[in-house]
Structure formats: structure tokens, C-alpha cells
Amino acid sequence: LSNVIFPIGSLVGITQIFFSSFILLLPYCLISGFLLVLFCRVFSKKQDETSIGKVYFIDNIGDILGGFLFSFVLIFILNPFQMIFFIMFINLLAASLLAIFVKKRLLKNILLFLLIFSLVFAIVDFNKITTEIKYKNQDLLYQKNSLYGNLVVTKTQNQLNFFENGIILFSTENTIANEETIHYTLVQHENPKNILLISGGVSGTANEILKYNIEKIDYVELDPLIIELGKKYTKNLDNKKINIINKDARLFVKQTDEKYDIVIIDLPDPSTAQLNRFYTTEFFKELKKTLNNDAVISLSLSSAENYFSKEIIQLNSVIYSTLKSNFKNVIIIPGQRNYFIASDNNLTYKIAERINKKAINTTYVNRYYLKGVLTKDRINYVLSSIDKNIKPNKDFNPVSYYYHMLYWVSQFKFDYYPFIAVILILIALYLFKIKPIPFAIFTTGFAGASLEVVLLIGFQILYGYVYHKIGVVITAFMLGLAIGSFYMNRKIKQMEKKHLIRIEFSIAFFSVLLPFILISLNTIKNTTLVFISSQIIIPLLTLIIAIMVGMEFPLASKLHFKNIPSTAASLLSLIHISEPTRPLYISYAVFCLK
């Protein structure tokens, strides 16, 4: 899609993402939705209300196994195309077993089809071929999944490009970016010794820091594979003064006893919940405890050379406001990226003079380059554009995430509100006609799906690395559905409407309680407790909500029972209708954060 349907390097909007995903998923979703209702009909022997709940339970078991295999096995040993082949294989195996009892000729065709595709997948490396197509005109050096994302390293002439999940992390030989990131900040301090570098060291920024008379660089990078690749393909980490720490930087800052003179946050814009947590007032307060009295910190945001759109102004303003609420002095150095430098000590725009005074050898960031960058007009323009009334960015009120989303959306000429309104109206008209028990199923499916997303976003805010944990959280959710449906199927004869009401109230109570639990988890600093909360408490919370959701479907099947096909179809369709409402709900919540 990114190379054929959408031009290489082009921005893809929400509508393009929606319709391309819809078309890709449509064949599977149609068959899957059809089969689940069909299985309820075929599986049932007594044609009673308990059959639907049993099929729902069996389906959940398959979901659990799929989530478990992906999270703990497949992600480590298979690439995406091998996973596709594995899924195809087990489905054709199931089709073969069914064909034994239906048509033996069909069985032969299935086995022949499987044999041909097995040979093709054994001979052709589809993953390498498609990756080379995706990164056209670049030499593909490396590709592998880690616990934190899909990493790709490519080469163009002498430059190495590091991609994570298809997005550029950094490139080597980018001298201008490396020099701006480091020298704008380090010259603000008279004699920096201890440096904390959050990400980006592989790109060459660490070499720029070493031009100063420093004692140590603590370089924090979450993914050890990035460090491994950096050492394999570059010499940027060879110096003994560079102390590499493979840890979440937010957690490291919470727990370290070190004191720093300089902190450089070399991360992309706050475009995700994971990145936003490094731009919040809570993070800066934690960071300040690790700083010496005259310490300086810096970060940067995407911008434009000479014109700021409304969205860029809002994004700059919220970061300025957040820094200003924690540091006495904040200056902004304009450019293709705006560099924010903050300190309780005095700061200066006389960077070229400081570089000359310290006798630092630079290629671009010198008096000739800075003469055009640090003009009074440009400095005044960026400072005068700051809206000082915008509130600071916080962990659980991620306004910079919101403004960055507006910045992204502003690049596409499409009004999303009518589209959302039409969908909500159609759903409302549908729900207006349904009876209380099916409506309870809708609200339960909506709550379950939404709370699962809230837990994933909460996990990302608290602990950052969500890529690998998505499978764990989803597996915990499916396990909870299975436990809930299994329990209800065992007790189904004793259950009445009052039990359905109790489950609904329990879900409502859990929804109110969840935000307070997440905020409490944010205060934990102890390494063991952080591990317990991330690995046990979050999956446990997911399990609890899923158990309640899983209990409700078999009970609703009994209370609303007419016949197997119509009951299964109506209740399952309500669950699936509630799930597309989830992203609309989450999107609306994010847009209302302002």
C-alpha cells in the first residue's frame, strides 16, 4: 500500500487508513462473523440456550491460544509472512479434518493447495522481498522483531537509517541535527561533567558530547537491539565514557541517584502516549531531582523555518508552558526543529560566542550558520507566538499528544465530525429499537472494549513499551472472557435477570475505580513494585473486566433465547457493533481533552 497505492513518503490520512484497513479485513471479518453463528447452529444438539454460551467459550479458548502463541512464541521466531503461513496451515488442517467427513475429493484439493504453498514459502523469502520494496533505493542491511518493535536498518551511500515500526528513528551522518541537538545545550553550562542522553546516541550525538571535557555520558535506550545494531554498524558508541543503560528512561529517572549537569531528550515529537510521557510536568519534576543546581535540559519539536501554523503554535505553547512551570528560564531556538532549552540558571542566545570561547570544533553550528538562524526577528517571532494561557501537559491529561494529533489532522482536507456523526446516528437508530437485554449486551461489549483500550493506553503512559504487551493484555482479556463464560455456563440454570443487573453495576463500578488505580500506579518508584504493577496488576485488571463481560453473554443468551440462529446472530452482532464504537469513543475523548 505504502509504495503502490500511496506515493512513497506521502502522509496517509485517517480516511485512507480506514478504507484500506476495511478492504483488507473485510474478507476475513465476513467469514469469521458468518462462521461463529454457523457453529452455534451446527454445534447445538439439544437446540437450547446453553449451546450459544458453549460456542462462545470455545471461541475464547482459540483467542487465548492465539494471543499466547503470538506474545510468547511467534514474535521471537517468525517474521510476519511466516506467521501468515502458520495461520493458513492450521486453518487448512481444520478444513482437512472436516473434509474427511464431507468430501474426500475436497480433502485432496486442500492437501495439494497446502503442499504447493508450503514449497513456495520454503523457497521464497517474501519478508525480505517486500521489505526491499518498501525501502526502495536503499540497501537493506537488517530486519528483525524485538520486544519493542520491528527494527530495520538500511543504507544510502554512507548514511545508515534506523527504522522502528516503519518510522524513521534516526540517521547517521546527519551532522546538522547532531550538532544542533548537542551544542545549543552544552554551551549553556560553564563546565558540564555528567551528561544524561535519552535516546539518539547511536546517530552520532554522543560523539558531539565528547568534544567537551566531560566525565561520563549515561546513554539510556530502551531497546537493546538498537544498541546491538549501533555497535555492529557504527563506531559511535566505542568510547569508554559512554555508559549504556538499556531501560525505560522514565523509570531510570525515577530510580537513579546520579546527579547531572546536562540532560538531552533526543526523542521524536509527542505523537503517541508512549512519547508524550517525556513531555509532561510529572516527568520534568522527576527529572529535576536528578539535576545539579546549574543544570540544563533540552528537547525539540518539529516546526517550520519561517511560518507557524495554528497547530504548531499550540504544540510549542504547551511544551513551553510545561517547562516554564518547572524551570525559571526557558529559551526557544527556531529552525526546522524548535529547540527548547530550560534551566534554573541563566540561559543565552550567544551560542556562537560560547562555542568559540570553548574552542569546540563544529562543521555547521558556528557563527556563520547561526547568523542566519538566530536573528532577532526569528527569535521574537517564536516567542511572541507562544500562548501563555495554555495549561501544562500532564501524564493523564496529555494535551501535547492532543495538539500533535491536531497538527497531523490539519495536513488533510477532511472534516471528520460529519463522518463520526453519521455513524453515531446510525448506531443510535439501531439501538433505539432493541430491547433491554440486547442493549445490556451492547453496553457491556462497549465497556469491555473501551476499558481494554484505556488499560493499553494507561500501560503506555505508565511504562512506555506497549508493542510486545499488546498481545499479553489481549490474551488476559480473552482468558477473562473464557473464565467468565465457563463459570456462567456451569451455573446457567440458576441464573436470572437480577444476576444480569448485578454484573452491569459491577462493570460500572469498575469503570469508575479504574482511573484512580492507574493514577496510584504512577506514583510507584521501587523496581520490584514497578515490575509487579506492569507484569501482574495491569493484566489482572484486564482479566477482571473480561470475566464480567464473559459472564454476561451466556446469561443474556438464556434470557433472550428464541432459537439458536436468531439469538446467536442478534447478540453477536451487538457485540461487534459495540466494538467499532470504541475507536470513535476514544477519538472523541482525545479531541475533548482541550
Side-chain angles (χ1 to χ4, degrees), residues 165-230:
N165 301 327
I167 298 171
I168 184 75
L169 279 177
F170 49 78
S171 298
T172 61
E173 309 302 323
N174 192 347
T175 308
I176 294 179
N178 291 340
E179 289 188 354
E180 287 185 329
T181 300
I182 301 307
H183 300 301
Y184 288 165
T185 309
L186 263 72
V187 295
Q188 305 289 341
H189 196 284
E190 286 298 324
N191 189 25
K193 294 297 181 184
N194 272 8
I195 315 295
L196 175 60
L197 176 61
I198 298 176
S199 193
V202 176
S203 66
T205 51
N207 289 333
E208 296 299 321
I209 296 172
L210 291 168
K211 291 179 180 179
Y212 295 78
N213 185 29
I214 59 107
E215 292 177 358
K216 186 177 73 167
I217 302 171
D218 280 343
Y219 168 35
V220 184
E221 192 74 70
L222 175 63
D223 194 343
L225 185 57
I226 291 176
I227 301 299
E228 182 185 323
L229 295 175

Side-chain angles (χ1 to χ4, degrees), residues 3 68 103 143 215 292-293 315 351 360 390 474 500 590:
N3 286 59
F68 179 85
K103 276 188 177 181
Q143 181 191 22
E215 292 177 358
N292 291 318
N293 292 333
L315 185 59
I351 293 166
I360 304 299
I390 287 183
I474 292 173
L500 183 64
V590 171

Side-chain angles (χ1 to χ4, degrees), residues 344-568:
D344 286 335
N345 205 13
N346 292 328
L347 298 171
T348 181
Y349 282 103
K350 295 180 179 180
I351 293 166
E353 290 89 331
R354 291 282 182 96
I355 289 173
N356 288 336
K357 183 180 177 182
K358 290 175 179 282
I360 304 299
N361 181 29
T362 58
T363 305
Y364 290 98
V365 179
N366 51 41
R367 60 195 177 103
Y368 305 107
Y369 177 80
L370 293 174
K371 189 177 180 181
V373 172
L374 294 179
T375 64
K376 284 186 179 180
D377 288 344
R378 296 185 75 185
I379 293 169
N380 290 335
Y381 177 58
V382 68
L383 290 177
S384 63
S385 70
I386 297 297
D387 182 356
K388 294 184 172 66
N389 295 318
I390 287 183
K391 293 180 180 179
N393 186 39
K394 294 184 178 181
D395 281 343
F396 289 99
N397 187 25
V399 285
S400 66
Y401 183 13
Y402 161 72
Y403 285 127
H404 193 278
M405 185 182 292
L406 286 184
Y407 170 57
W408 177 66
V409 169
S410 70
Q411 298 174 71
F412 308 99
K413 293 181 179 180
F414 181 78
D415 189 353
Y416 300 100
Y417 289 104
F419 175 71
I420 294 171
V422 168
I423 293 176
L424 291 177
I425 289 168
L426 291 173
I427 292 170
L429 291 172
Y430 179 74
L431 294 177
F432 184 74
K433 298 179 181 180
I434 66 174
K435 295 180 180 179
I437 290 173
F439 183 72
I441 281 290
F442 173 84
T443 58
T444 299
F446 179 86
S450 297
L451 290 174
E452 186 185 3
V453 170
V454 168
L455 282 163
L456 282 169
I457 293 175
F459 186 97
Q460 199 169 21
I461 289 170
L462 293 170
Y463 311 112
Y465 49 96
V466 76
Y467 176 79
H468 174 239
K469 294 300 175 185
I470 288 175
V472 176
V473 172
I474 292 173
T475 301
F477 190 82
M478 294 304 169
L479 178 61
L481 292 179
I483 293 170
S485 61
F486 178 77
Y487 172 81
M488 187 56 70
N489 283 323
R490 293 288 299 271
K491 302 285 185 179
I492 193 72
K493 292 181 180 179
Q494 307 164 23
M495 297 296 171
E496 300 173 0
K497 280 187 180 180
K498 63 181 181 181
H499 296 102
L500 183 64
I501 295 168
R502 288 174 187 171
I503 295 169
E504 287 285 301
F505 272 108
S506 298
I507 293 171
F509 176 75
F510 183 89
S511 303
V512 173
L513 189 63
L514 183 59
F516 297 100
I517 296 172
L518 292 174
I519 291 168
S520 299
L521 292 177
N522 199 26
T523 62
I524 296 173
K525 296 181 181 180
N526 181 273
T527 305
T528 305
L529 293 177
V530 167
F531 177 82
I532 291 170
S533 62
S534 63
Q535 307 299 317
I536 298 174
I537 295 177
I538 295 290
L540 183 62
L541 291 170
T542 310
L543 187 74
I544 291 168
I545 181 63
I547 288 172
M548 292 187 283
V549 174
M551 288 171 64
E552 190 161 312
F553 185 80
L555 179 55
S557 299
K558 175 191 173 182
L559 298 175
H560 189 64
F561 186 77
K562 295 175 183 177
N563 57 62
I564 293 286
S566 64
T567 305

